Amino acid sequence: MDLPLTYKDIIKILPHRHPFLFVDMITELELGERVVGIKNVTINEPFFMGHFPGKPIMPGVLVIEAMAQVGGILAKLSQPESMKKKGDNAIYFVAMDKVRFRKPIFPGDQIHFELTAMRKGSRIWKMKGKAMVNKKVAAEAELVAAIK
Ligand code: BDE
């Protein structure tokens, strides 16, 4: 697949859909190693209606969700063909560590997610992720995914 990956590609990789698909583009990809994804945050995001009325701030937990979706794309595309043949090869997140919300994210912000693989087993992956806005870290976390 040619980079960048956009909506058309991403919906073939992730099961998420509006209003819960939080990845707009994948701009860099090193299979098994590293991924960079982007989300453009607009005032039209459904969550801004309630978080908070008149004071739109992207929920930190959804920033981590978006990060996990970018990580899910890395994990999914890095699965060897031999494993894809068995089972439903679902990838699901089973743990998060060292989560930090450093800066609020507002309408108009563009989030750059960078994730790198820390530990790769055949069934469990650990990734370190950062959410950057204007080159500053807005959130960070270590994510643990299980490959079914
Ligand atoms: C700072 C660092 C990481 N994540 C979020 C923040 C932050 O400034 N959140 N602010 C929330 C907030 C909510 C309401 Br209600 C409010 O009236 C205001 Br003044 C806020 O700053």
Side-chain angles (χ1 to χ4, degrees):
M1 244 181 274
D2 291 335
L3 294 176
L5 304 186
T6 60
Y7 176 76
K8 272 178 69 164
D9 311 299
I10 291 167
I11 60 171
K12 291 179 195 159
I13 303 166
L14 293 180
H16 309 70
R17 294 295 182 269
H18 180 77
F20 222 79
L21 175 60
F22 296 126
V23 187
D24 293 333
M25 211 187 281
I26 297 295
T27 54
E28 296 175 47
L29 181 66
E30 292 171 54
L31 292 181
E33 297 298 333
R34 180 175 173 276
V35 64
V36 175
I38 288 172
K39 172 168 178 56
N40 295 301
V41 180
T42 82
I43 188 56
N44 299 310
E45 306 285 352
F47 50 74
F48 283 139
M49 190 171 284
H51 193 279
F52 299 92
K55 206 159 289 183
I57 297 173
M58 183 168 175
V61 293
L62 293 186
V63 178
I64 302 302
E65 169 65 29
M67 181 188 291
Q69 291 182 10
V70 175
I73 291 172
L74 173 64
K76 190 79 188 173
L77 294 180
S78 300
Q79 273 181 326
E81 287 296 326
S82 59
M83 277 187 61
K84 287 181 189 169
K85 285 173 187 153
K86 298 187 202 166
D88 64 1
N89 56 74
I91 290 161
Y92 51 95
F93 283 83
V94 294
M96 300 184 308
D97 296 304
K98 300 184 182 171
V99 178
R100 292 292 182 273
F101 304 120
R102 302 277 184 209
K103 291 183 183 306
I105 295 179
F106 302 112
D109 284 346
Q110 182 176 72
I111 315 176
H112 285 246
F113 294 98
E114 302 186 16
L115 291 94
T116 55
M118 297 170 70
R119 248 183 282 139
K120 289 173 286 181
S122 61
R123 290 192 170 76
I124 297 286
W125 269 49
K126 188 160 193 174
M127 292 178 261
K128 186 185 275 286
K130 283 185 198 308
M132 320 281 293
V133 176
N134 296 325
K135 309 208 166 154
K136 290 186 178 157
V137 180
E140 58 197 309
E142 292 176 6
L143 304 176
V144 185
I147 301 172
K148 204 168 183 175

